[in-house]
Amino acid sequence: MNRVAITNQIGYPINRRGGSQFQTGKDIGMKLTFLGAAHEVTGSCTLLEVGGRNILVDCGMEQGADIFQNQELPVDPGKIDFVCLTHAHIDHSGNLPLLYKNGFRGEVFASEATAALCDIMLKDSAGIQEFEAEWRNRKAKRSGSAAYEPIYTTQDALGLLQCMRPCPYDRKFSICEGVEIRFNNAGHLLGASSIEFWLEEQGTHKKIVFSGDLGNIGRPFLRNPARIEQADYVVIESTYGDRLHESQGQDYVSALAEYIQQTFDRGGNVVIPAFAVGRAQELLYFLRQIKQERRVQGHGDFPVYMDSPLAGEATEILLQCDPDVFNDQTRELIAQGINPILFSNLRIAQTAEQSKAINFDNQPKVIISASGMCEAGRIRHHLKHNLWREESLILFAGYQSAGTLGRSLRDGASTVRLFGEEIAVRAQVAALSDTSGHADKQGLLHWLEGFRQKPALVFVNHGEASVCDAFAGELRRQGYAAEAPYSGTCYDLCTGAAVVRTTGIPARKGQTPERERKNQAFDRLVAAARQLVTVAEQCRGMANKEMAKFESQIRQLCDKWRK
């Protein structure tokens, strides 16, 4: 899948026809509707409705293959009151600027570190959308095709960022009448959170916990995930819910040093696709130790390139964090005056010219570049220059979603297409075992065991279809009431019953670019019309003269465009 395809997968679209193949639970006071990352790994989004308020938990962009159609957002974006964000990764936050573009003006609650990371990540994502539109429009102009509009712009991202409300960990507070929340460390990423919700409506009290993405035990930098003692309902991720990581506590430093030694000895480069936020900083942590202990012999103070402006900015945010967010080992290094992620001959490429120059340096080197799944960004250029070289190594250090270039390489592709060229895969392709930032099956079960009593119902999401089902089955074998809902499934939280139960509807395949453009244009038109309705509904109490003027303008607009 190419970069264009990623930026087009916006998930839970505005309803195009005024109806839906999905139903929604109506006239229920307290309900939960699954929208994104239901039997899929990316595009996290869940709608919580209580006391007449609409709350989204995450608003993520889909990445990789789109397996199932997603329920369209069942309420107008302008009527979303709050978003509670578990962490900054784009598959959890990347559609927030689109929500803003379509009329959202509520508040976005997130941990302090997540808010800081979103400030750089959402602007970066908007830049990608704009660059993609510019690239497509150059091609469209040559072919006479219709113009392409970016999904959202930098202005949309900046507007959304004004809605951010940073929150400390471990502090319970009210966001509106009948809803209190608390952010807890999830150990997956700087600022990643599990979120507790205390809900009350008409004398009914319920508590629901969203795990967010849970981290591995004993990872660099971060404290282990905090455990929570009580909940009526739990929504839990299942990325690795069907497997165990090969070796908890593995010596990643030794493994990485051995890969570097072998590759340098044969004259190649070590190219590491890495998520700019999280994984890139962990790799720097390992490399600092490798250099300090001189674990790579015969290659002097070898260069390490971090070719990602976003990763550079994320690294600065990490270095400015309160030491309390880090684990004991990292705090001890800081107390000794040791910077845990900086070392000699670390070169950060900021400009495109600096990035291009890396591939004209013949010295063996380590190149860390985004994106982690090879779907976008500068990593694709480094793959183009290294995949065909037998002496080089492409070293993966994170999860690769189905349908991504990274997954194809991991699965043994002999050729790949990059920038219109077929590139032979002759380089060694390997992976650092179990460096994932996600907990495995045992880690997920360990986190659930922190609840003093089993929740009344556990919802399993954020996993490939077979994995969601397998982990839900494992939970049932262990005595939990567990379900793995598809997009569009809706639950009454007062009773715990499913009021709407859907099955997976396969995503449409083979849509032509022209049809895709028409659908996008129609989606934007409908979104604008819904935004107009929202504005009209806010005019109650306005002077009759002003309302009459507004009505006249709307009718003139309708007359102009009525077929």
Side-chain angles (χ1 to χ4, degrees), residues 449-503:
E449 289 165 359
F451 292 93
R452 292 181 176 177
Q453 291 185 331
K454 286 182 169 64
L457 186 55
V458 178
F459 305 105
V460 177
N461 72 348
H462 198 289
E464 293 181 3
S466 61
V467 179
C468 282
D469 291 336
F471 188 59
E474 177 65 26
L475 291 179
R476 288 191 289 269
R477 284 189 291 274
Q478 299 210 17
Y480 292 89
E483 298 188 9
Y486 285 92
S487 182
T489 297
C490 176
Y491 292 86
D492 178 351
L493 294 183
C494 293
T495 65
V499 293
V500 177
R501 193 181 296 277
T502 61
T503 57

Side-chain angles (χ1 to χ4, degrees), residues 79-95:
K79 294 183 178 179
I80 298 294
D81 298 289
F82 309 105
V83 179
C84 294
L85 189 59
T86 62
H87 67 286
H89 275 155
I90 291 299
D91 66 316
H92 290 255
S93 70
N95 271 345

Side-chain angles (χ1 to χ4, degrees), residues 113 134 140 163 171 175 321 490 527 532:
E134 182 182 346
C163 302
R171 185 179 302 171
I175 61 173
C321 280
C490 176
L532 181 62

Side-chain angles (χ1 to χ4, degrees), residues 376-390:
R378 295 177 178 181
I379 186 61
R380 294 171 72 87
H381 292 276
H382 298 302
L383 292 175
K384 178 180 177 180
H385 284 274
N386 286 276
L387 275 172
W388 56 271
R389 298 181 58 196
E390 293 181 354

Side-chain angles (χ1 to χ4, degrees), residues 37-42 62 65-68 70 461-465 468:
H39 282 80
E40 294 181 300
V41 179
T42 64
E62 289 194 287
D66 190 12
I67 308 301
F68 297 109
N70 284 339
N461 72 348
H462 198 289
E464 293 181 3
C468 282

Side-chain angles (χ1 to χ4, degrees), residues 12 59-61 77 90 92-105 108 118 121-127 129 151-161 164:
Y12 39 89
C59 189
M61 181 178 286
I90 291 299
H92 290 255
S93 70
N95 271 345
L96 283 170
L98 177 62
L99 193 73
Y100 182 89
K101 176 180 178 178
N102 288 334
F104 170 74
R105 294 298 183 271
V108 180
C118 280
M121 294 184 72
L122 295 180
K123 287 186 284 190
D124 180 78
S125 178
Q129 315 307 322
I151 295 170
Y152 53 78
T153 66
T154 298
Q155 286 304 116
D156 297 320
L158 292 173
L160 183 282
L161 290 169
M164 277 284 179

Side-chain angles (χ1 to χ4, degrees), residues 241-272:
D242 66 340
R243 71 202 81 170
L244 300 176
H245 293 323
E246 291 178 6
S247 50
Q248 291 285 359
Q250 177 178 324
D251 187 353
Y252 298 113
V253 171
S254 294
L256 179 56
E258 184 175 352
Y259 277 123
I260 295 171
Q261 184 75 62
Q262 292 173 352
T263 305
F264 284 6
D265 286 350
R266 60 179 182 255
N269 298 320
V270 177
V271 179
I272 309 178

